[in-house]
Amino acid sequence: MSRSEPVEASNFIRNIVDKDVAAGKNDGQVVTRFPPEPNGYLHIGHAKSICLNFGTAGRYNGRCNLRFDDTNPVRESEEYVDAIKEDVSWLGFEWSELRHASDYFDELYEFARELIRQDKAYVDSSTAEEVREMRGTLTEPGTPSPYRDRSVEENLDLFQRMKEGEFDDGQHILRAKIDMASGNINMRDPTLYRIRKVHHVRTGDKWSIYPMYDYTHCVSDAIEGITHSLCTLEFEDHRPLYDWVLDQLQTSCHPQQIEFARLSLEYTMLSKRRIIQLVEDGHVHGWDDPRMPTIIGMRRRGYTPASLRDFCERIGITKNDAWIEMAVLETCIRDQLNREAPRRMAVLDPIKVTITDLPEDHEQIFSFANHPQDDSAGSRDVPFTREVFIDRDDFAEVPPPKYQRLVPGGEVRLRGSYVVKCEEIIKDDAGQVLELRCTHDPATLGKKPEGRKVKGVIHWVSATHGVAAEVRLYNPLFTLPDPTKAASLEEGINPESEVVLSSCVVEPALQQASAEQHFQFERIGYFVADRHDHGSDKPVFNRTVTLRDTWAK
Ligand code: ATP
Ligand code: MG
């Protein structure tokens, strides 16, 4: 999707649901679910699925459950469960019911026995290796297992003993009996249950067997009365199995599975496995590092729930995999913050300016509007003194062409204040500029200078009243649009992805900033007070996004 395309959410799923509701299918009810596996933190791709599932239900006054797909106890943890709940709530959604696939372990077990009784499932005692070999390939059909014709009685007995913990991991599996010659490999007698003698956070040591995802998912959907089971495209080939299981069991509810494309976002990666690796290998400071594509990281970076929902709406829902440009995401937050964020002045790389023709104790208080287009945002006091700081790149001893900021002997306006003229440059032994000595034109407060044009306007902060702050600049975490193309995870990381500036000076009003408050630093960008590290004794701001689109070249 390119930036110039009109912003309109195409949503084929909405059209399907519209038709179903109009036709009175499922009594006109719409019930969806968001089914994360609690094996990591949610990322922006999950936000797409959350917005779709909750949004679809919300549109029809339906229900959407949050269901933890907790069938793989080895990889799952309560830390993730709590984080996922918090992320969904933070995004602005309320689940109708909180469920766990493990709530259905008893029913799933009974249903499996039902399949055995119908001779639609059997216990296979082949090794994992043998099962793999017998599965065949895309071009070769599979071979039936020697255990495929076990009697119903024997299968029921073995399955019960698997449950009771009589066997070791891998000794037996329960498989559906479908079609070893099917063109769809998922239909070649897929595994329904495997032995796993592990403790489960919710069911403890009750189970020695755990159901597989494909079997669990459709049954869970049916039990919850889900009408539309929305999932990503990689499950398209699993749909026949989804339907097969529900057909055999003749569940009263048979949800319709509909697949949509996953989100892929340039310069980042949305795979839990890889995201975990970034954290574990120490490439980032943690799950909530502001460079991370996790919801919690984006929150810390300064993204808002509204901006993420806006993003999900803008990218739409399709059946085609496509990469989304980072600019699309950034535009969403920039648009919101441009409308809403109060303006402040901050100097990231200070040089001192002394206005030599003002008395030592000069002090003037200006009242600055918090927002240029919104009077209701009010104003704040900004003190002006003899010594102020300006940003190092607002001065050039040898200016490039068309440079409109401060130059030796030149004039510039200090934003909302006087026009000043650079009379003298003071440097250290290494030639680095330490201080600029300027004079001011007292007739220029709120007025144009007489008889000459001064084009440049720069921001500043009083040296006497300014507050020391740390400012963290963030850039894309990866150097390539598709980071998987890099030689290794490490090679792909942008060494400039985090730049910490620890000697910034910000205007006094920012001392009152509260954590997670957003600001525009005039002429610089949009920033948020860090959720964790910011305090009035040591303000810390994270750059959410630059003022302008830096991707448009
Ligand atoms: P893993 O990477 O561990 O396989 P997953 O990314 O599939 O995990 P789940 O917890 O299984 O994560 O996902 C929950 C839901 O979010 C699923 O319905 C899944 O399809 C959806 N989802 C995950 N990643 C994306 C993505 N990039 N875009 C859209 N939906 C996604
Ligand atoms: Mg998954």
Side-chain angles (χ1 to χ4, degrees):
M1 177 170 159
S2 88
R3 271 184 304 279
S4 52
E5 266 174 292
V7 173
E8 202 193 334
S10 79
N11 192 336
F12 75 96
I13 292 181
R14 238 173 237 175
N15 300 341
I16 295 175
V17 180
D18 273 344
K19 273 203 198 111
D20 289 349
V21 170
K25 197 172 161 189
N26 310 303
D27 300 326
Q29 297 273 310
V30 176
V31 187
T32 59
R33 83 287 168 268
F34 172 63
E37 182 177 355
N39 64 348
Y41 281 69
L42 299 183
H43 53 63
I44 178 80
H46 293 111
K48 176 177 180 177
S49 175
I50 293 170
C51 289
L52 175 65
N53 278 293
F54 283 89
T56 303
R59 197 173 129 81
Y60 304 92
N61 275 320
R63 294 183 284 121
C64 180
N65 291 347
L66 172 60
R67 183 200 311 144
F68 289 104
D69 174 25
D70 56 348
T71 51
N72 200 347
V74 192
R75 296 191 305 179
E76 298 161 5
S77 92
E78 282 301 280
E79 176 197 350
Y80 299 138
V81 168
D82 293 340
I84 290 170
K85 287 198 263 184
E86 171 151 4
D87 285 346
V88 173
S89 302
W90 179 77
L91 275 172
F93 298 105
E94 263 179 66
W95 48 88
S96 305
E97 284 175 67
L98 182 69
R99 297 292 186 97
H100 295 78
S102 58
D103 297 340
Y104 313 130
F105 280 175
D106 286 317
E107 279 143 297
L108 285 158
Y109 179 73
E110 283 311 319
F111 280 140
R113 284 166 53 84
E114 174 59 27
L115 290 177
I116 295 175
R117 280 193 290 266
Q118 292 178 23
D119 199 20
K120 297 281 173 51
Y122 61 98
V123 173
D124 194 336
S125 310
S126 312
T127 63
E129 180 64 37
E130 286 163 351
V131 170
R132 205 171 311 121
E133 274 170 13
M134 287 184 287
R135 188 167 294 133
T137 63
L138 285 173
T139 47
E140 302 269 322
T143 10
S145 160
Y147 302 98
R148 203 173 195 262
D149 294 320
R150 269 182 165 144
S151 69
V152 169
E153 289 66 34
E154 192 184 358
N155 282 320
L156 284 173
D157 174 61
L158 281 170
F159 187 49
Q160 182 174 347
R161 287 159 62 197
M162 284 166 66
K163 174 187 178 240
E164 283 163 2
E166 205 179 306
F167 307 113
D168 293 331
D169 287 18
Q171 240 183 304
H172 306 283
I173 52 175
L174 184 75
R175 297 178 74 173
K177 194 187 274 189
I178 310 180
D179 177 7
M180 286 309 289
S182 171
N184 181 342
I185 294 184
N186 294 304
M187 299 299 272
R188 295 184 190 168
D189 293 9
T191 306
L192 303 179
Y193 269 91
R194 75 274 201 226
I195 300 171
R196 277 278 160 88
K197 292 190 159 167
V198 287
H199 185 84
H200 187 286
V201 198
R202 301 192 80 248
T203 58
D205 297 315
K206 177 173 176 190
W207 297 91
S208 298
I209 51 173
Y210 290 95
M212 300 299 288
Y213 175 86
D214 279 328
Y215 173 61
T216 312
H217 200 82
C218 53
V219 173
S220 306
D221 279 351
I223 292 174
E224 291 178 23
I226 303 299
T227 56
H228 299 84
S229 179
L230 313 178
C231 63
T232 35
L233 279 177
E234 70 270 25
F235 291 103
E236 195 164 20
D237 288 347
H238 298 236
R239 185 170 4 114
L241 177 54
Y242 184 106
D243 290 331
W244 181 89
V245 171
L246 297 185
D247 284 344
Q248 310 316 305
L249 297 172
Q250 301 197 334
T251 49
S252 55
C253 162
H254 191 133
Q256 181 183 1
Q257 173 176 314
I258 309 170
E259 307 85 19
F260 64 95
R262 289 177 88 85
L263 169 64
S264 304
L265 186 61
E266 287 187 349
Y267 296 95
T268 189
M269 37 177 90
L270 302 180
S271 140
K272 270 197 253 176
R273 190 171 47 83
R274 291 215 178 80
I275 292 176
I276 288 178
Q277 204 189 337
L278 286 171
V279 176
E280 286 181 349
D281 296 357
H283 296 301
V284 292
H285 305 306
W287 288 100
D288 67 347
D289 187 301
R291 294 166 292 178
M292 291 281 270
T294 50
I295 308 241
I296 197 173
M298 297 181 71
R299 174 177 180 180
R300 193 165 176 196
R301 170 81 169 255
Y303 278 90
T304 58
S307 65
L308 297 187
R309 292 193 306 259
D310 181 22
F311 172 70
C312 292
E313 187 66 24
R314 289 192 202 203
I315 57 176
I317 301 291
T318 67
K319 272 211 176 263
N320 310 316
D321 280 315
W323 285 85
I324 303 293
E325 292 176 13
M326 197 57 115
V328 179
L329 177 63
E330 291 188 352
T331 300
C332 296
I333 186 67
R334 193 181 286 115
D335 285 357
Q336 187 191 357
L337 295 181
N338 181 37
R339 284 192 309 273
E340 298 174 9
R343 276 41 175 176
R344 293 289 183 265
M345 293 200 291
V347 173
L348 303 192
D349 185 6
I351 327 184
K352 188 157 82 178
V353 169
T354 304
I355 301 157
T356 54
D357 53 354
L358 285 175
E360 294 272 345
D361 60 353
H362 180 84
E363 186 155 320
Q364 229 172 326
I365 307 288
F366 298 129
S367 177
F368 279 17
N370 284 329
H371 196 289
Q373 282 96 42
D374 179 8
D375 291 341
S376 72
S379 61
R380 86 278 183 189
D381 287 345
V382 180
F384 175 69
T385 49
R386 184 174 192 260
E387 291 185 348
V388 299
F389 289 117
I390 66 166
D391 251 313
R392 193 164 290 278
D393 61 9
D394 281 335
F395 172 76
E397 202 171 354
V398 184
K402 297 197 184 151
Y403 190 76
Q404 288 189 350
R405 295 167 263 172
L406 197 58
V407 299
E411 284 185 304
V412 79
R413 178 178 294 279
L414 296 179
R415 147 113 177 81
S417 174
Y418 302 97
V419 168
V420 297
K421 180 174 181 186
C422 177
E423 309 280 1
E424 192 185 343
I425 307 168
I426 296 174
K427 296 182 182 175
D428 64 11
D429 294 342
Q432 160 111 324
V433 177
L434 284 183
E435 182 186 343
L436 301 172
R437 297 178 73 83
C438 296
T439 52
H440 81 298
D441 179 348
T444 53
L445 189 61
K447 287 198 208 85
K448 287 188 176 154
E450 288 282 323
R452 61 205 195 276
K453 272 216 171 101
V454 173
K455 284 198 185 147
V457 179
I458 64 175
H459 60 273
W460 53 275
V461 170
S462 159
T464 328
H465 300 287
V467 175
E470 179 175 304
V471 173
R472 300 167 181 170
L473 304 182
Y474 295 107
N475 295 304
L477 185 52
F478 294 98
T479 51
L480 294 175
D482 178 358
T484 62
K485 297 257 154 60
S488 67
L489 191 66
E490 196 152 12
E491 295 276 312
I493 291 189
N494 175 7
E496 315 261 281
S497 59
E498 179 190 58
V499 179
V500 178
L501 304 173
S502 47
S503 48
C504 311
V505 185
V506 299
E507 63 165 272
L510 281 170
Q511 191 144 34
Q512 274 95 55
S514 44
E516 297 212 272
Q517 214 185 333
H518 305 269
F519 298 97
Q520 183 197 90
F521 289 175
E522 291 194 28
R523 303 181 58 235
I524 304 179
Y526 295 98
F527 291 79
V528 68
D530 188 78
R531 281 184 81 190
H532 299 307
D533 302 337
H534 172 85
S536 57
D537 51 329
K538 191 202 171 209
V540 178
F541 298 96
N542 301 332
R543 182 169 72 192
T544 307
V545 67
T546 50
L547 219 48
R548 271 171 280 280
D549 184 355
T550 50
W551 299 98
K553 282 273 157 64

